[in-house]
Amino acid sequence: MEEGGLSAEVIRKAFAATEEGFVHLVKQAMGSRPQIASVGTCCLFGAVSRGTLYVANLGDSRAVLGRRGRDGGVVAERLSTDHNVAVEEVRKEVEALHPDDAHIVMCCRGVWRIKGIIQVSRSIGDVYLKKPEIRQAKYFPVFLKRPVISAEPSIVVRKLRPEDLFLIFASDGLWEQLSDEDAVNIVSRSPRAGVAKRLVDAALVEAARKKEMRRNELHDVPRGLRRQFHDDITVVVVYLDQHSSSRSTHNVVSSHSTAPPLDIFSALDHPSSSLDEYTS
């Protein structure tokens, strides 16, 4: 972190450095592993510094804040931007950047994709869609005049408020099944311990329902085929306790700090793959 603390510019530089480092790796490895040029990932970042919340993202992972509403209920506030061309606004943004390419965004089997290949318009990696010179027709049969996706993050800077209760960070696999409001309601009504797993379970129940299956039947679908039913789901829940003088014997905080517990759970293509829950 640069002198002076966290800022949007510091975050932007960190994203740029990460992208630059990966591009360098790709260029070094292209000779022996050309497929590495098609490797990419979404990135979702969150931090609290001096009472200010910073959220930055590339791709379609999402950060949602749960806060106390005026009526006493809990309200969902989305803090990130979904860089996915399934969103009309994002589609128009991409089309505006490529007015000379009538096929920059294509609908393939009911799904909008850039060049018929990828849904997200921003990512770390996916170098073959950013560097026209990194192209081998054998592996990447797409011709580019210019980059078609970017690594420029969307950044939100927001002062924390007394009514802010918790944050949900999750991959798109959760949000394909649950709305922001559904997720916030589940967290607000559940015990803290294991709350991320509850979100994942709720998403899997909904994914099964859409396929007219039961949750346990979905669990039995073999590895590899699960992606036809739901995308990977990773969830992190962070509780914001700004005004607590203490959380527990393991957590002693000042009145201006943010104390979790922080809960993580991940449901990947393999039904038994999960991360241990923990508090800090």
Side-chain angles (χ1 to χ4, degrees), residues 61-220:
S61 293
R62 186 183 302 168
V64 174
L65 172 76
R67 58 178 173 81
R68 186 73 61 190
R70 292 181 179 178
D71 62 355
V74 180
V75 177
E77 179 181 337
R78 189 178 302 186
L79 297 176
S80 60
T81 300
D82 290 356
H83 302 131
N84 189 314
V85 290
V87 180
E88 184 178 7
E89 183 180 347
V90 176
R91 210 158 53 238
K92 290 181 177 178
E93 176 187 85
V94 172
E95 290 169 343
L97 292 171
H98 302 271
D100 57 342
D101 189 345
H103 303 291
I104 184 62
V105 182
M106 304 166 61
C107 189
C108 306
R109 296 187 295 275
V111 179
W112 289 99
R113 298 181 185 272
I114 295 174
K115 302 300 287 185
I117 298 171
I118 191 169
Q119 288 184 271
V120 295
S121 61
R122 307 188 196 190
S123 71
I124 297 292
D126 296 305
V127 178
Y128 77 118
L129 296 175
K130 296 173 179 174
K131 304 288 184 182
E133 69 273 16
I134 297 182
R135 176 182 176 271
Q136 293 185 17
K138 179 179 179 181
Y139 298 102
F140 315 121
V142 55
F143 176 76
L144 303 180
K145 296 180 181 178
R146 65 182 73 87
V148 294
I149 64 175
S150 79
E152 178 67 24
S154 293
I155 301 175
V156 171
V157 180
R158 180 189 182 284
K159 282 288 185 184
L160 285 176
R161 304 164 188 162
E163 62 267 25
D164 297 338
L165 302 175
F166 54 82
L167 293 161
I168 304 170
F169 295 88
S171 61
D172 63 316
L174 182 82
W175 308 114
E176 287 174 357
Q177 310 299 337
L178 301 179
S179 68
D180 297 3
E181 292 74 17
D182 288 340
V184 163
N185 285 336
I186 289 170
V187 173
S188 67
R189 296 170 182 172
S190 301
R192 294 192 179 195
V195 69
K197 186 177 186 299
R198 285 184 175 82
L199 286 172
V200 173
D201 286 341
L204 294 178
V205 168
E206 180 61 16
R209 185 194 66 78
K210 290 177 179 177
K211 296 293 184 179
E212 299 182 342
M213 300 171 63
R214 295 178 179 175
R215 167 70 174 83
N216 62 324
E217 293 174 326
L218 181 62
H219 182 86
D220 293 333

Side-chain angles (χ1 to χ4, degrees), residues 192 241-257 259-261:
R192 294 192 179 195
D241 297 306
Q242 300 158 258
H243 302 289
S244 298
S245 58
S246 65
R247 280 285 313 130
S248 69
T249 57
H250 301 290
N251 280 314
V252 178
V253 299
S254 73
S255 61
H256 302 290
S257 67

